[in-house]
Amino acid sequence: MYGSPTQGVTLVSTWKDEEQIQRLIDGEVSESEFAAIEQRVKTDPGFRKLYLSYAKTDHLLIEHHESDSAFSAKEARNGAKWFWVAGIAAAVALVIGLTLPRGADPADTPLVGPTLASLAFGPESAGQITHVDGRTGGDELKQGSVVELVRGGALIQLSSGVSGFVEAPATFEAVGENALKLVNGRAWFNVPDGAEGFICETADMVVEDLGTEFGVIAETGKPQEVFVLSGKVKLRDPVNRDEISELITGQGVSWMGDRWEPSTRQLSFSSSFPEPIVVFADDFSDPNGTLLDGKEPDIGGSAWKVQLGQLQVRDGKLDTRGELRSKAFVDLGYPHLDDHSHILLMTIEAEGPGDEGWAGVSLYTGDQERIFVGDPNGPDGDWALHPAGEVAHNACPLLAGKSLVTLRYNYRTGLAELFEGRTTTGKPLASQWIAPHLSFDRLRIANGSRNDALIDAGMELPDNGSDDSAEVRSQITVRRITVKVLNAEKTLRTGEQASKVEQ
């Protein structure tokens, strides 16, 4: 546990308190243990804050993983958990209620305690702050405030002077004026003179700064890691908490469950919000009759190359009307995606797609189609997100007619999401895990008949006496396509190889 925010932050031995609260949340306490915890919640403000911070984090994780069948099954088996947590919640509510003036609305009551940090969400980001009394929002973090960052990044400024940048997906908690608990996520911290002693705690690590810049990675299901970019940090061993190790500039380690191992992989830690770099754009504002083949886009890496059909610009649009089948490619400009600049946004403004065939826009890596956005081949003629080679995942609600959609792809995680409109800060219409570490270099516009899709898949045509060659039923009319990469220019990188941990 951490000391009072007004007294600075020091590590003291409260491992049993944290273990007891975790056992309560997991539904593993006895009736006598429950009674003891309930009494401490009522009488011990420090213990009550510790419980609330654990309960809030647990609640956010459940919401984040509620669609995960394995997670849900585990929770369902743990039926006792909800009985104990509900009882403690009632005790907490009683104590909090007694502290409010009679008739007061909690929403009108200022948050209790000093401000430990301020927070700012970045562009194309989505997240929420939840405080210990259940209220959400604002830009200030109090003791126990939990931040869930779903997309993008957030800048954090602690009252001690420490600054940090956290990248999604992430969950973190304010635990002191000079301390932060990173439940999951990737974070960079800069500790100026006078703020030494800053602590970043994860599930497996306690990192104490000695005047430095360092990065921490706590990704679910992977070894947790810390990298020193400059200066020095102290590490507390998760097994033997009295054992301290030190890392200096250029060193990085991973916790393997029972030991530290030097990390030699190259990583980058962003220290500020990324800038959008347009790597492709075309609004098809050329004169009527302009052929697409050989036409230069507004921004891009090459001219269009038509492989099928005679595509041309009509009334400020590129459309496939009158074509039996169409296919055209264009190269994307730079930068391409990497671990450093890991978010791609593709916005499509179109009318259509059409009817019983398929039509849309695809992202390619070399000659391999990776992601398809459009009508995946069916009678509805609506938009969908379609990982190439997989079953189509239709947008819900389906977007028919004139449409404006944005695809977001995360290079680090492999998650692709489809949004309505030009931004990706709201709720996605469709999402699909595709594959991580895909870097796209080409874009394709194409349409075809239902049988064309069968031919492309190497399947036999239906025995109906027709090759369907003259019945292209799906069309796409595109007004504008824009592809951006969020380029994190202000980034600190680890060294080429980490050294051994100094004992």
Side-chain angles (χ1 to χ4, degrees):
M1 187 177 177
Y2 298 96
S4 167
T6 60
Q7 298 173 344
V9 180
T10 56
L11 281 173
V12 296
S13 177
T14 58
W15 192 251
K16 290 185 178 180
D17 287 349
E18 296 182 1
E19 185 180 46
Q20 190 177 43
I21 292 172
Q22 189 61 57
R23 290 181 63 244
L24 167 73
I25 290 175
D26 291 339
E28 298 174 355
V29 297
S30 65
E31 290 188 16
S32 60
E33 289 174 315
F34 170 76
I37 294 173
E38 184 178 36
Q39 182 62 27
R40 286 199 65 188
V41 165
K42 292 178 179 179
T43 59
D44 185 341
F47 186 82
R48 184 164 60 248
K49 288 181 180 179
L50 184 64
Y51 163 76
L52 283 170
S53 68
Y54 266 72
K56 288 294 181 184
T57 301
D58 183 65
H59 176 69
L60 288 171
L61 288 173
I62 290 172
E63 285 188 341
H64 185 66
H65 294 284
E66 63 184 357
S67 62
D68 186 326
S69 58
F71 182 88
S72 300
K74 177 181 177 182
E75 296 301 324
R77 288 195 301 270
N78 211 348
K81 166 181 175 176
W82 303 110
F83 174 81
W84 298 132
V85 174
I88 294 295
V92 172
L94 176 62
V95 172
I96 293 177
L98 292 174
T99 65
L100 293 175
R102 183 168 297 178
D105 183 349
D108 297 331
T109 305
L111 293 170
V112 178
T115 298
L116 302 182
S118 59
L119 191 78
F121 294 109
E124 301 295 336
S125 299
Q128 179 174 274
I129 304 173
T130 302
H131 306 285
V132 293
D133 64 357
R135 280 182 280 178
T136 60
D139 58 3
E140 295 183 346
L141 304 185
K142 305 289 185 176
Q143 186 82 21
S145 296
V146 174
V147 180
E148 184 180 30
L149 186 61
V150 179
R151 289 180 218 96
L155 278 172
I156 184 169
Q157 184 69 47
L158 276 71
S159 58
S160 64
V162 173
S163 58
F165 186 77
V166 184
E167 296 181 80
T171 302
F172 57 96
E173 177 189 350
V175 292
E177 68 175 4
N178 207 23
L180 197 73
K181 184 172 184 177
L182 184 66
V183 179
N184 67 284
R186 180 182 296 208
W188 163 87
F189 298 102
N190 177 36
V191 182
D193 292 342
E196 294 87 348
F198 166 72
I199 289 173
C200 177
E201 179 183 1
T202 72
D204 293 333
M205 298 188 299
V206 176
V207 184
E208 183 177 355
D209 161 79
L210 299 176
T212 188
E213 290 182 75
F214 67 96
V216 177
I217 299 177
E219 296 177 343
T220 304
K222 298 180 181 180
Q224 298 187 2
E225 302 172 89
V226 58
F227 298 87
V228 181
L229 301 158
S230 66
K232 182 188 293 187
V233 301
K234 290 199 303 185
L235 287 176
R236 190 175 297 273
D237 191 286
V239 176
N240 182 2
R241 296 179 69 83
D242 292 330
E243 184 176 324
I244 302 295
S245 302
E246 289 190 354
L247 294 178
I248 61 175
T249 301
Q251 293 183 327
V253 294
S254 302
W255 177 249
M256 307 307 294
D258 58 356
R259 67 191 186 282
W260 298 109
E261 281 196 3
S263 179
T264 58
R265 65 178 184 141
Q266 278 199 320
L267 288 169
S268 62
F269 292 89
S270 299
S271 58
S272 65
F273 298 131
E275 294 290 333
I277 305 297
V278 178
V279 298
F280 175 82
D282 208 341
D283 61 6
F284 305 106
S285 59
D286 310 84
N288 279 353
T290 298
L291 295 177
L292 185 63
D293 192 43
K295 186 181 94 67
E296 294 287 344
D298 299 325
I299 298 173
S302 71
W304 284 95
K305 183 177 181 179
V306 175
Q307 293 186 352
L308 286 173
Q310 295 292 325
L311 291 170
Q312 60 182 282
V313 174
R314 299 186 182 99
D315 302 323
K317 298 173 288 187
L318 175 70
D319 66 64
T320 62
R321 289 177 297 175
E323 302 295 340
L324 297 181
R325 189 178 184 190
S326 304
K327 183 193 298 185
F329 286 90
V330 68
D331 291 343
L332 302 179
Y334 289 91
H336 291 165
L337 291 177
D338 57 20
D339 186 75
H340 177 50
S341 300
H342 63 285
I343 299 296
L344 178 138
L345 306 173
M346 179 172 68
T347 300
I348 306 168
E349 182 179 345
E351 297 174 4
D355 314 294
E356 297 181 1
W358 61 271
V361 180
S362 297
L363 290 171
Y364 271 66
T365 304
D367 292 330
Q368 187 171 3
E369 183 181 14
R370 297 292 194 177
I371 304 176
F372 173 89
V373 179
D375 178 3
N377 194 17
D380 294 327
D382 296 315
W383 286 92
L385 170 62
H386 184 188
E390 300 291 340
V391 177
H393 292 262
N394 293 315
C396 184
L398 295 173
L399 301 175
K402 184 176 180 180
S403 303
L404 180 62
V405 296
T406 297
L407 171 77
R408 181 185 183 121
Y409 171 77
N410 189 322
Y411 174 92
R412 290 177 182 167
T413 66
L415 179 64
E417 299 171 288
L418 187 66
F419 297 81
E420 185 173 13
R422 299 185 185 279
T423 64
T424 61
T425 57
K427 183 178 180 180
L429 296 162
S431 60
Q432 176 67 21
W433 297 100
I434 295 185
H437 306 147
L438 299 180
S439 185
F440 314 106
D441 54 20
R442 293 206 296 166
L443 180 149
R444 185 197 72 177
I445 294 178
N447 78 307
S449 67
R450 302 186 71 173
N451 283 354
D452 284 326
L454 295 178
I455 294 171
D456 288 345
M459 302 174 64
E460 294 185 2
L461 296 177
D463 187 15
N464 58 10
S466 170
D467 65 1
D468 199 27
S469 62
E471 295 189 27
V472 175
R473 293 289 187 87
S474 194
Q475 305 169 2
I476 183 169
T477 305
V478 182
R479 291 183 177 275
R480 183 179 290 106
I481 302 176
T482 305
V483 181
K484 301 176 183 178
V485 169
L486 298 187
N487 184 40
E489 292 182 318
K490 296 180 180 178
T491 297
L492 303 170
R493 293 183 178 273
T494 62
E496 292 186 358
Q497 185 165 349
S499 303
K500 293 182 179 179
V501 181
E502 294 180 354
Q503 298 295 335

